[in-house]
């Protein structure tokens, strides 16, 4: 059994931010930290005081985390980025919002004395003395202290205060991982209410010392315990009164904390087997559990349920069968052809998730070069006459106003070029499309043609495929390439308009150039020749795409199964140090790395383009190492240079690491390895929430004339899947109760309580 915690984070927008630049504006972005570890950086939105990000993240983290903080920063090209303000949400605060925190939060000033991080290793003892007992405090070491100096380190020392007396350790220069191994003693008066305070400081020669954090202990509890040793988290100094702040603006957030207790795999087998059997039986199954799940799922959680079910069946090799079942269910209740797959049904949401899980690399290969070209050209593109901006053209001082007709014609040429390049890339990509995606589109194509066989609906199977491929996958990626990891930054206003017009053109092609789509925006008419040609290209592409036989599908899947799945790839800079002493020089070499579940390899040239950020690489490495039994619990964050480690100054190269490894904070990506037990637990939790509705439905079925008596015992109900499902939920509930009763209690609160 394991405890799992996750955060669903959506950074929506900011408003009324202060101007940090001389232009009267700012270039804001957000950094998200979990217990002072940076895990997320949003894109920079240029020249605005009311930025919109709309970025969503899923973060897996240890249940013992304390807080998540959102820092709003102003990016500067020539100087250090300015801190605008922050919003901090503690774990306790998030726990009081079961449905998640949602709304505007006021930005608070960032006080250096509150920006602390790291831990300190102490040994505290009560020892007998000649006249009275003495309190002995051994300051051993610290790790991950905040860097306060320009060299990226600190010069830390420790002050120990008790009963009006203060003693200090020596100063360790240029280290965030100092080791002192110094001991101090104080006379201990029985019944004294004074607290022991241990403070870490950064020594500065000229300016005042910087506060690094403190730990406060209850001496009375120590007297009872006699001895205590361990790593203690440094706390901020909250004794000062916060000075009056100006208006720093607000940040709109949506943050939801989920805690899950995941049972051993065997506990979920009855549930997984029951759902898999229902999918294998298809629409002819006796219980119709999948339709019941869809019927009892609210609109708010339909996307989460669809993604979880899709991953569950993907892990069982039944994703295609699951989606085929949903296609049949939706077609069975659809009478109007023009409304097919247009709603946010379970089929539509599941297919969206499926394309992101199984087709993201394919999307990058087809769409990536076109998106890069749009960003690099930065051309002014506009087709709507009411929005055209006339500009000067010419050279050598001979400028003339460009006419509206010239702007429209140049814009049409640019869009025709991009659209033509995209359609050509799509046409050539049949073999590059994953076999499971092709097979799923084949089933969709067949089911729609069987349901609507008339000649007037001959385009409907093609439209069904493009409704997912173009309208719900390619077009959204064109409009928001940052959210699909096609670019590291959001587009500026000019590029965004070009992308929007290109996405509209792709939608027209996906709609098979119907009169309804043309009537919406008549000013898109200059693109019609390319759109009509694109329809023919797209139909030819779909015909080839769905023409995949079972043997070919199995061969392609077998080939892919022999390859270790790719987790992350992209460029990294390797730091090389030459020489020793003051003449030492450094250089950087750019190499392209590829991380799979089995190996980390590199080459001098890239094999493909991928977003590369430090936290994504760390997250990917943590995921592939999660089952590594030889994983180290500590490491050296510095380098062994000369005769010592640069981080902790230890001279033994084989010395144990001075910092602990952080293997539990990871960013969720679409290509993450599947976690079968977690997906099963999430489905169980959802079904538990609608159990009352399921029981009511069961009672209605029992009262039906054809059903007869429905047994409810564990060994009964062999022909009633709904009764079996209710029994499985009851068994899992009992398993959770038993696990909580037998699970080791969380570590009792230390006898030396922190006093805040």
């Amino acid at each position: 059994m394991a405890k799992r915690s996750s955060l669903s984070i959506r950074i929506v927008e900011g408003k009324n931010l202060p101007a940090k630049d001389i232009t009267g504006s700012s270039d804001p972005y957000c950094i998200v930290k979990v217990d002072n570890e940076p895990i997320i950086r949003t894109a920079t939105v240029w020249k605005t005081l009311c930025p919109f990000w709309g970025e969503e993240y899923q973060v897996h983290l240890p249940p013992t985390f304390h807080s998540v903080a959102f820092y709003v920063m102003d990016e500067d090209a020539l100087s250090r980025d300015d801190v605008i303000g922050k919003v901090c949400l503690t774990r306790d605060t998030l726990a009081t919002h079961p449905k998640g925190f949602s709304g505007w939060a006021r930005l608070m000033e960032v006080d250096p004395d509150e920006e602390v991080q790291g831990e300190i290793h102490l040994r505290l003892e009560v020892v007998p003395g000649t006249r009275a007992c003495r309190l002995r405090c051994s300051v051993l070491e610290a790790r991950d202290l905040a860097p306060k100096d320009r060299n990226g380190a600190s010069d830390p020392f420790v002050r120990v205060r008790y009963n009006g007396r203060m003693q200090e350790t020596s100063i360790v220069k240029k280290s965030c991982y100092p080791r002192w191994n110094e001991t101090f003693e104080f006379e201990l008066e029985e019944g004294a209410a004074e607290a022991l305070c241990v403070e870490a400081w950064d020594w500065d020669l000229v300016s005042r010392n910087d506060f690094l954090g403190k730990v406060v202990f209850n001496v009375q509890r120590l007297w009872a315990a006699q001895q205590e040793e361990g790593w203690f988290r440094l706390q901020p100094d909250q004794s000062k009164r916060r000075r009056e702040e100006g208006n720093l603006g607000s940040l709109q957030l949506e943050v939801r904390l989920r805690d899950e207790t995941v049972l051993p795999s065997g506990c979920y087998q009855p549930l997984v087997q029951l759902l898999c059997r229902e999918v294998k039986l298809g629409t002819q199954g006796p219980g119709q559990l999948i339709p019941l799940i869809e019927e009892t799922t609210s609109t708010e959680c339909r996307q989460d349920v669809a993604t979880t079910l899709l991953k569950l069946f993907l892990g069982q090799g039944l994703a295609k069968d699951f989606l085929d079942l949903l296609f049949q269910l939706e077609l069975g209740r659809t009478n109007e052809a023009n409304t097919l797959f247009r709603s946010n049904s379970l089929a539509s949401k599941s297919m969206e998730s499926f394309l992101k899980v199984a087709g993201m690399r394919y999307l990058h290969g087809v769409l990536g070069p076109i998106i890069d070209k749009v960003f690099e050209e930065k051309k002014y593109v506009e087709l709507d006459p009411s929005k055209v901006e006339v500009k000067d053209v010419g050279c050598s001082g001979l400028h003339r106003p460009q006419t509206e007709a010239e702007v429209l014609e140049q814009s049409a040429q640019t869009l025709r070029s991009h659209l033509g390049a995209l359609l050509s890339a799509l046409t050539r990509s049949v073999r590059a499309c994953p076999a499971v995606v092709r097979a799923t589109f084949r089933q969709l194509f067949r089911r729609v043609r069987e349901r609507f066989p008339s000649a007037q609906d001959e385009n409907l199977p093609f439209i069904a495929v493009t409704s997912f491929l173009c309208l719900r996958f390619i077009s959204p990626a064109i409009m928001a390439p940052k959210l699909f990891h096609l670019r590291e930054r959001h587009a500026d206003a000019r590029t965004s308009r070009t992308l929007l017009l290109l996405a509209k053109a792709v939608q027209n092609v996906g709609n098979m150039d119907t009169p309804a789509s043309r009537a919406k925006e008549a000013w898109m008419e200059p693109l019609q020749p390319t759109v009509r040609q694109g329809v023919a290209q797209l139909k030819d592409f779909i015909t080839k795409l769905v023409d995949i036989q079972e043997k070919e599908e199995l061969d392609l899947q077998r080939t892919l199964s022999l390859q270790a799945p790719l987790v992350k790839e992209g460029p990294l800079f390797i730091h090389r140090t030459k020489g020793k002493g003051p003449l030492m020089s450094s250089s950087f070499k750019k190499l392209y790395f590829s991380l799979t579940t089995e190996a980390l390899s590199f080459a001098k040239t890239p094999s493909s383009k991928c977003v590369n950020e430090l936290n994504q690489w760390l997250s990917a490495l943590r995921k592939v190492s999660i089952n590594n039994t030889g994983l180290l619990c500590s490491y050296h964050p510095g380098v062994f240079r000369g005769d010592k480690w640069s981080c902790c100054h230890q001279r033994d190269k084989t010395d144990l690491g001075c910092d602990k490894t952080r293997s539990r904070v990871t960013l969720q990506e679409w290509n993450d390895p599947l976690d079968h037990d977690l997906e099963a637990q999430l489905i169980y939790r959802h079904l538990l929430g609608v159990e009352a509705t399921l029981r009511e439905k069961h009672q209605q079925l029992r009262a039906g004339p054809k059903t007869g008596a429905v047994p409810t015992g564990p060994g009964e109900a062999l022909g009633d899947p709904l009764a079996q499902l209710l029994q499985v939920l009851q068994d899992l509930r009992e398993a959770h109760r038993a696990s909580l009763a037998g699970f080791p209690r969380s570590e009792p609160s230390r006898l030396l309580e922190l006093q805040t």
Side-chain angles (χ1 to χ4, degrees), residues 16 397 630:
N16 302 329

Side-chain angles (χ1 to χ4, degrees), residues 196-210:
L196 175 71
C197 181
V198 180
E199 300 175 345
W201 291 83
D202 167 53
W203 176 82
D204 285 322
L205 177 63
V206 179
S207 59
R208 70 180 184 89
N209 297 333
D210 299 310

Side-chain angles (χ1 to χ4, degrees), residues 510-697:
N511 288 325
M512 298 292 148
D513 191 29
T514 58
S517 64
R518 289 198 302 268
K520 288 182 180 178
E521 291 155 335
W523 42 264
M524 294 283 288
E525 182 63 29
L527 299 183
Q528 282 309 116
T530 309
V531 169
R532 283 192 291 269
Q533 182 182 354
V535 170
Q537 290 178 275
L538 193 59
K539 291 179 71 172
D540 181 64
F541 163 73
I542 293 173
T543 302
K544 295 176 181 177
L545 186 74
V546 301
D547 185 20
I548 179 173
Q549 303 303 318
E550 297 288 345
K551 182 179 182 304
E552 184 182 0
E553 177 188 349
L554 293 174
D555 290 342
L556 288 171
Q557 289 180 345
R558 192 177 298 113
T559 301
L560 291 175
S561 66
L562 297 177
Q563 303 172 359
L566 182 70
V567 178
K568 181 76 178 164
E569 62 181 350
L572 283 176
F573 287 91
I574 305 301
H575 178 264
R576 290 184 172 181
T577 304
K578 301 177 182 179
K580 296 182 179 180
L583 299 179
M584 180 177 59
S585 62
S586 298
S587 63
F588 291 88
K589 185 174 183 180
K590 188 176 184 179
L591 296 175
Y592 294 86
F593 282 76
S594 177
L595 176 68
T596 71
T597 53
E598 296 179 357
L600 175 65
S601 58
F602 67 89
K604 293 183 179 180
T605 57
S607 58
S608 65
K609 188 181 185 305
C610 187
V611 177
N612 175 52
E613 292 180 356
L614 178 60
N615 56 357
Q616 290 182 338
W617 273 102
L618 291 175
S619 184
L621 287 166
R622 288 167 180 169
K623 290 170 192 172
V624 299
S625 304
I626 194 168
N627 296 318
N628 183 357
T629 56
L631 192 67
L632 298 176
C633 59
S634 63
Y635 76 108
H636 286 286
V639 295
F640 194 82
R641 182 179 298 159
D643 60 348
K644 62 183 178 182
W645 287 100
S646 62
C647 45
C648 57
H649 300 172
Q650 299 306 302
R651 298 186 180 276
D652 185 358
K653 192 172 184 178
T654 62
D655 190 39
L656 289 176
C658 55
D659 196 10
K660 61 181 180 180
T661 54
R662 297 169 177 81
S663 59
R664 300 291 300 279
V665 180
T666 58
L667 285 173
Q668 180 172 301
E669 302 286 350
W670 287 107
N671 60 347
D672 282 352
L674 298 174
D675 190 334
H676 309 296
D677 296 339
L678 178 59
E679 308 304 340
Q681 166 63 23
L682 293 176
I683 289 297
Y684 159 70
R685 180 167 55 79
H686 169 71
L687 293 174
L688 200 64
V690 297
E691 184 182 17
T693 306
L694 293 175
R695 290 195 177 278
E696 183 180 344
K697 187 71 175 178

Side-chain angles (χ1 to χ4, degrees), residues 254-379:
E254 296 174 9
V255 186
R256 183 179 183 183
L257 170 65
R258 287 181 175 175
D259 291 318
E260 298 290 347
T261 300
V262 181
L263 301 172
S265 299
C267 298
Y268 298 108
Q269 283 305 305
L271 175 61
V272 174
Q273 291 173 0
L274 182 60
L275 293 175
C276 288
R277 189 182 67 188
E278 289 292 302
V279 168
K280 290 177 182 178
L281 290 173
T283 55
Q284 304 304 317
Q288 301 287 303
L289 290 185
I290 301 301
L292 280 175
I293 292 175
E294 180 175 19
E295 181 183 336
T296 55
T297 301
S298 63
T299 306
E300 291 77 15
C301 61
R302 190 167 294 155
Q303 181 66 73
D304 291 338
V305 173
T307 302
T308 304
L309 282 172
L310 186 278
K311 289 185 176 180
L312 180 84
F313 291 119
L314 198 63
Q316 301 298 320
L318 293 173
K320 182 185 68 175
D321 304 270
F322 168 61
L323 292 168
D324 186 32
L325 173 58
L326 294 181
F327 296 154
Q328 295 179 68
L329 293 173
E330 177 130 346
L331 286 165
R333 59 174 178 262
T334 301
N335 296 319
E336 294 292 332
N338 58 0
T339 63
L340 185 61
F341 299 117
R342 299 292 178 172
S343 63
N344 290 322
S345 61
L346 189 63
S348 299
K349 293 295 185 182
S350 298
M351 193 63 181
E352 283 183 30
S353 298
F354 170 70
L355 289 174
K356 290 177 180 177
V357 172
M360 191 64 81
R361 289 195 69 201
Y362 168 70
L363 177 76
H364 280 227
V366 173
L367 193 57
I370 287 88
I371 295 296
D372 289 343
K373 187 175 181 181
V374 173
F375 272 77
E376 291 164 4
E377 289 182 350
K378 295 184 178 180
K379 290 183 178 180

Side-chain angles (χ1 to χ4, degrees), residues 49-74:
L49 301 181
C50 297
F52 177 83
W53 291 286
E55 298 189 18
E56 298 182 15
Y57 301 91
Q58 189 82 12
V59 181
H60 300 285
L61 66 174
T64 54
F65 85 98
H66 297 87
S67 64
V68 55
F70 301 82
Y71 292 79
V72 179
M73 311 288 292
D74 168 57

